[in-house]
Amino acid sequence: MIEFRSVTYGFDDHAVLEDCSLEIEDGEFVLLAGANGSGKTTLLRHCNGLLSPDSGEVLVDGVSVAENPVAARTATGMVFQHPRDQFVAATVASDVAFGPENLGLPHAEIDRRVEDSLAAVNLEGRGDERIDTLSGGEQSRVAIAGALAMEPTHLLLDEPFTGLDEPSREAVIERLESLSSDGTGVVLATHDLRDVSRLADRIVVMRGGEILEDGPSSRVLERLDGLDVRAPS
Ligand code: ADP
């Protein structure tokens, strides 16, 4: 479980998160919605200790992220907005293996995780391909596989559809749907709810660094007018 307890955070003098409290259960599919600049990325970056609250606390599985960022990073796999910025190796398999290698896992376990993670994003057998020859959608799926190889409880994705064409977007959504039905928790930050709201158990809407709405998808969708979030078509 991920818990935000009255988290406040600012850059310089500018408040970016104001008194945010939120609980995300294991296995839940949560959409974190809100216009650009509403604080979604900043909130996600608190889950693994990339940012620390000015006041309040973030806990993952009951443990403070500030006290144990390594445990938080193991439990929450992060996929950044521009996957290209996140790759560390030239080929698909070596990139996906990077995280498990850093955990010091045995070779057989690393190989199993790479194979399972690539299968989960429909890229089985493509481990030797160079990442720079793949399409945008395939690169996004490699980034997701890299996060999955850490076997996280929650997969956190920050605007994963940026720059993707429609077929690629659909392929990523399909993968998220199947990961979610296999029990991985998904937290998806997006300003564009097309096609994804139907997958979510819950929608959390942010505006100006505050949590404006938090509830079952059907109820929140009815109230989206005026929140500057693109409603599903
Ligand atoms: P979102 O993900 O919803 O687009 P962000 O969390 O990226 O929102 O940004 C929230 C606010 O924080 C914005 O006003 C943005 O300008 C500000 N912000 C984000 N990153 C920085 C930074 N590195 N330095 C200063 N301000 C920042």
Side-chain angles (χ1 to χ4, degrees), residues 77-80 83 86-87 95-96 113-114 116-118 120-123 136-152 154-161 164 168-169 171-177 179 184-186 188:
M78 178 82 120
V79 179
F80 293 94
Q86 145 168 30
F87 297 130
D95 190 80
V96 174
R113 286 191 181 203
V114 170
D116 285 359
S117 305
L118 289 179
V121 296
N122 248 10
L123 288 173
E138 288 166 337
Q139 291 188 353
S140 286
R141 280 147 59 202
V142 174
I144 293 171
L148 288 177
M150 302 298 277
E151 303 201 336
H154 302 269
L155 188 62
L156 315 178
L157 304 108
D158 190 3
E159 299 279 2
F161 310 123
L164 296 191
S168 301
R169 178 188 162 91
V172 172
I173 290 173
E174 196 183 302
R175 290 298 96 202
L176 294 180
E177 186 168 15
L179 286 168
T184 301
V186 177
L188 172 57

Side-chain angles (χ1 to χ4, degrees), residues 29-31 161 169-178 180 188 192-203 216-218 221 231-233:
F29 194 132
V30 177
L31 271 188
F161 310 123
R169 178 188 162 91
E170 282 164 21
V172 172
I173 290 173
E174 196 183 302
R175 290 298 96 202
L176 294 180
E177 186 168 15
S178 104
S180 171
L188 172 57
D192 181 354
L193 302 186
R194 281 177 308 138
D195 310 321
V196 286
S197 55
R198 69 182 170 83
L199 303 181
D201 300 308
R202 197 170 135 204
I203 301 181
S217 304
S218 51
L221 283 173
S233 49

Side-chain angles (χ1 to χ4, degrees), residues 48-71:
N48 59 10
L50 286 175
L51 297 173
S52 300
D54 294 333
S55 66
E57 195 175 22
V58 184
L59 298 106
V60 173
D61 298 331
V63 177
S64 157
V65 176
E67 277 168 30
N68 195 341
V70 174

Side-chain angles (χ1 to χ4, degrees), residues 11 14 16 35-42:
F11 288 111
H14 171 63
V16 178
N36 286 330
S38 56
K40 304 180 298 296
T41 299
T42 306

